[in-house]
Amino acid sequence: MSSEKNPNSAPAPASNFIRAIIEKDLGQNKYASKKWAGSPGDAQHHETGEVDFAKIRTRFPPEPNGYLHIGHAKSIFLNFGLARDFGGICHMRFDDTNPEKESQEYVDSISDGVKWLGFGWENHGPNGSESNLYFASNYFDFMYRAAESLVENGFAYVDEQSADEMRINRGTLTEPGKDSPFRNRSALENLARFREMRDGKHADGSMVLRAKIDMASPNINMRDPAIYRVRRAHHHNTGDKWCIYPMYTFAHPVEDALERVTHSICTLEFEDQRPFYDWLLERLADAGLLAHPLPKQYEFARLNLTYVVLSKRKLIQLVEEKHVSGWDDPRLPTLAGARRRGYTAAGFRLFTDRIGVSKADSWIEYTILEDCMREVLNVDAERRIAVLDPIKLVIDNYQEGRSEDCFAPNHPLKPELGKRTVQLSKELWIEREDFMEEPSKGFFRLTPGGMVRLRYGYVVKCTGCEKDANGNVTTVHCEYLSDTKSGTPGSDSVKVKGNIHWVSAAHAYECEVRLYDRLFKEAHPGEGDRDFLDDINQSSVQVITAQLEQSLQDAKAEDSFQFERHGYFVADSKDSVAGKPVFNRTVTLRDAWQK
């Protein structure tokens, strides 16, 4: 049965550069006087609050335009884990500033994923309880006010160049950009134009609001970046109130500041955006809109994992073009898919601790993730017997209609879990590979004249087999040695090298089992000029009918087991019903891809 542990009960991971930064900041009392009014807000709002009881504030800010994936798990454990370890709070914030790609379905799935990993946003402190679940769209009013402040102070202007003109005039990595012909309008002109944008008087894409910084900056991101655009689209939270929306690079630092985030932890692709992050917050603080100390952004290397794609665009393509059955397909690297596959939150915690946090991009082998899941499941999953490729074994000298109890430990590492009863009868199911009429060298299982032990049962001697018209073996015959039953004084009277598992044909549960493998056959799907879809592993799932020990018929959705000799399996959360579970293979007992 599943015995999922709280993934947050493990010891804190080894130190890394982000932890060192936080330790230094706390040692210097950098945030000791920071005020918090109990909810996000501007400088005036927080001035009414008390000194923040949270020593640090981090945030996990997913955009609700897709399902969370394995890379997000790393960020979740990092942000929530740092807050937990340093006496702080991590905010759950939906960065829903792009109305065209967002939906409530994604909001719900993201919330479920964070909770499944063991984290929440209801927090309790000396000033009372607070829910730290936030939506960036709730800050649109302030963002608009902040944009007007930039315009009024000469730090932003409305640009009416076409997208192509803006791109050409932006310059290159070696050549400076050119000033827009609209760059030197007066603040009053820009303010009037911006309000016309807000009031819907201009067409989508006809103009943008740009920050006024430096078109000759060596950092292209500082060459007057766009901060607002005209976009008529229905928003899942604000409806049709707005026809202008902030750009992410503008919205994100504002959101952090309103929430009094101390350490804004991003992946490395945002490193070049950090100067704008700091520039913007300083201008808004100078205008009296935001309070010091301001958030600081820090970047770490995102997760690059072999044999998967983590690009949202590619994941959406896989789902929409039906290369997979949905966002929760067990072959996908989404958290919903991983959970349905039988991966565990504790396994992801071990994985993120093991790969660590660094500033250097690198590739992580998928086998490391699989090994972490094996390591956790080896401890947590009870053992059961399953025959995945069944062939009939008949014990000719066993009494017809008779059955007897054999006893199998529920977990070899946990004797306190005791033993369970498995029935033995005249006809059994065994694995097809456990019989060879003409054995190869080193084969110690069933062969004519050979002897093996039926695990937890008797020693049997093979007497022959039956075949169909095509020469395929259909039934194996044997005789049992009645004084050799496991657990009895005579169990060691006959020594054999082979030991095979089995289930009673009269008591077995016939079950659908899905043998999942990697979705891609190449370590780097789509590398070079290849289409990543050409690298799909056409054998990534095999659906079989297996014979399982009777107790597995009572398994509930998401119960995990080790099927002896085969690997770890989970009762499917979607297709299992009471009394008729369907099982998915989570991971084999060892690396099946090892070359």
Side-chain angles (χ1 to χ4, degrees), residues 251-262:
H252 184 245
V254 171
E255 296 156 19
D256 285 347
L258 293 176
E259 294 177 19
R260 305 251 62 194
V261 165
T262 57

Side-chain angles (χ1 to χ4, degrees), residues 146-162:
E148 281 206 349
S149 173
L150 292 176
V151 172
E152 291 168 344
N153 288 292
F155 295 121
Y157 63 98
V158 174
D159 194 348
E160 298 180 43
Q161 293 182 99
S162 69

Side-chain angles (χ1 to χ4, degrees), residues 105-377:
E105 175 192 358
Y106 296 141
V107 170
D108 294 340
S109 71
I110 291 168
S111 299
D112 289 343
V114 173
K115 290 177 181 177
W116 175 63
L117 289 179
F119 299 103
W121 38 84
E122 303 299 325
N123 294 291
H124 308 283
N127 300 330
S129 300
E130 58 182 60
S131 175
N132 299 110
L133 173 63
Y134 303 118
F135 289 83
S137 55
N138 289 336
Y139 310 146
F140 281 168
D141 287 332
F142 177 86
M143 290 180 192
Y144 178 80
R145 181 157 63 101
E148 281 206 349
S149 173
L150 292 176
V151 172
E152 291 168 344
N153 288 292
F155 295 121
Y157 63 98
V158 174
D159 194 348
E160 298 180 43
Q161 293 182 99
S162 69
D164 286 341
E165 289 171 332
M166 287 182 61
R167 184 170 56 253
I168 292 169
N169 291 334
R170 196 181 186 196
T172 67
L173 292 174
T174 57
E175 296 179 356
K178 297 177 181 178
D179 285 357
S180 164
F182 303 97
R183 195 174 193 265
N184 294 318
R185 275 176 170 164
S186 70
L188 286 177
E189 288 179 290
N190 281 311
L191 191 59
R193 212 65 165 154
F194 186 44
R195 288 174 177 172
E196 290 174 4
M197 289 170 59
R198 175 199 63 190
D199 296 338
K201 295 182 179 180
H202 299 285
D204 288 11
S206 60
M207 55 187 65
V208 295
L209 182 69
R210 297 178 72 177
K212 190 174 184 180
I213 308 178
D214 180 7
M215 288 302 293
S217 172
N219 182 346
I220 288 183
N221 297 289
M222 297 295 282
R223 294 179 187 175
D224 294 8
I227 58 177
Y228 257 95
R229 57 187 172 152
V230 181
R231 186 62 54 91
R232 287 167 177 81
H234 182 81
H235 192 282
H236 77 98
N237 187 25
T238 59
D240 298 314
K241 177 181 178 180
W242 296 94
C243 64
I244 58 171
Y245 289 96
M247 306 297 285
Y248 178 83
T249 51
F250 172 81
H252 184 245
V254 171
E255 296 156 19
D256 285 347
L258 293 176
E259 294 177 19
R260 305 251 62 194
V261 165
T262 57
H263 300 80
S264 180
I265 303 165
C266 306
T267 45
L268 280 176
E269 64 264 35
F270 295 101
E271 186 172 27
D272 289 341
Q273 296 286 356
R274 192 186 338 131
F276 177 70
Y277 184 103
D278 294 337
W279 179 92
L280 175 63
L281 295 186
E282 289 291 349
R283 298 302 175 281
L284 297 179
D286 290 345
L289 295 180
L290 298 177
H292 287 281
L294 297 169
K296 290 295 181 183
Q297 177 179 303
Y298 305 95
E299 307 86 19
F300 70 99
R302 70 187 305 163
L303 177 63
N304 296 307
L305 196 61
T306 58
Y307 293 100
V308 302
V309 294
L310 297 179
S311 156
K312 275 188 182 177
R313 178 184 60 79
K314 291 179 179 179
L315 291 174
I316 289 171
Q317 185 177 350
L318 287 169
V319 173
E320 291 184 346
E321 295 180 2
K322 300 188 184 305
H323 300 285
V324 293
S325 62
W327 283 102
D328 63 350
D329 188 300
R331 295 167 295 175
L332 279 184
T334 57
L335 293 190
R339 181 177 182 178
R340 193 173 168 198
R341 176 83 169 254
Y343 286 11
T344 69
F348 278 118
R349 167 66 190 265
L350 179 61
F351 175 66
T352 54
D353 286 352
R354 189 157 290 173
I355 63 176
V357 178
S358 87
K359 294 272 295 184
D361 270 325
S362 61
W363 283 94
I364 304 298
E365 292 293 331
Y366 196 82
T367 52
I368 297 177
L369 176 60
E370 291 177 320
D371 283 342
C372 289
M373 294 301 163
R374 288 189 189 99
E375 198 168 319
V376 168
L377 288 167

